[in-house]
Amino acid sequence: HQDYRLGALLGEPPRASAWGALLGVVAANLGLGVALLELGRITGVPLAAPGSWGMASSGVGALIDVANLVVFGALLTPVAEELVFRGVLFRKWRRTLGPVKGLFLSSVLFGVLHGGTMLPLAVSGLSWALLYTRTRTIWAPILAHVLNNSFSVAAILVSRSLGVRSFELTPAQAAV
């Protein structure tokens, strides 16, 4: 269908006025993730699952693992997910089921398909769909998703450099 060709999906880049909303969505998503991790740590109820990454500790293997994490985790995967979840599914369901059902269905599916604790990922999907609706360009949620994942990848790499095997840093580790 011509509405789902790559050029039609991508559309125009976000206007300068969209950057505030875009950065606000990224900050809110990151804040929610940290808050849920900390609340889960305090209560003992896992509200957000910290990621564990099996990475080589040195040599060429470590460089390849870092490159894969950056290229796929921070760049290619967010682009592909936004094109599928917001560009195709949300657009289709918004048109056929209505805006509210389309919003919630695409967001819940996004969370469920990521596995683990779905709440923060469903909320991220919801916020990116709202950003897409507000800016009327898929570029805004793509950029927000790339920024969000880039912060997560950075947290993983920092935690690995500190000898931690997941990106859930204690306050003492984060202060270093």
Side-chain angles (χ1 to χ4, degrees):
H1 193 273
Q2 71 186 36
D3 283 347
Y4 297 105
R5 290 187 182 160
L6 187 58
L9 281 176
L10 290 174
E12 297 294 319
R15 298 176 192 264
S17 60
W19 282 96
L22 191 151
L23 294 174
V25 164
V26 171
N29 280 320
L30 292 171
L32 175 66
V34 169
L36 289 175
L37 280 171
E38 187 62 16
L39 187 59
R41 188 184 66 76
I42 291 168
T43 64
V45 177
L47 300 171
S52 293
W53 294 88
M55 295 173 62
S57 59
S58 64
V60 173
L63 289 175
I64 291 171
D65 287 344
V66 168
N68 280 333
L69 187 60
V70 170
V71 170
F72 290 100
L75 298 174
L76 296 181
T77 300
V79 171
E81 288 178 348
E82 289 310 309
L83 289 173
V84 170
F85 284 97
R86 263 55 72 189
V88 175
L89 297 177
F90 172 61
R91 282 180 57 191
K92 172 78 171 170
W93 291 336
R94 180 179 61 187
R95 189 171 41 248
T96 58
L97 302 173
V100 174
K101 286 181 183 175
L103 180 72
F104 285 106
L105 184 58
S106 65
S107 301
V108 168
L109 183 62
F110 182 76
V112 167
L113 291 180
H114 276 81
T117 308
M118 69 167 265
L119 176 64
L121 292 160
V123 170
S124 292
L126 181 88
S127 67
W128 293 324
L130 290 171
L131 184 62
Y132 175 56
T133 300
R134 183 185 180 279
T135 63
R136 299 177 184 252
T137 176
I138 195 70
W139 283 105
I142 286 173
L143 292 171
H145 198 154
V146 165
L147 282 171
N148 185 82
N149 283 25
S150 294
F151 281 114
S152 296
V153 165
I156 291 166
L157 295 176
V158 167
S159 69
R160 292 286 299 177
S161 73
L162 296 173
V164 179
R165 296 294 179 229
S166 77
F167 65 87
E168 181 180 14
L169 298 176
T170 66
Q173 292 165 327
V176 171

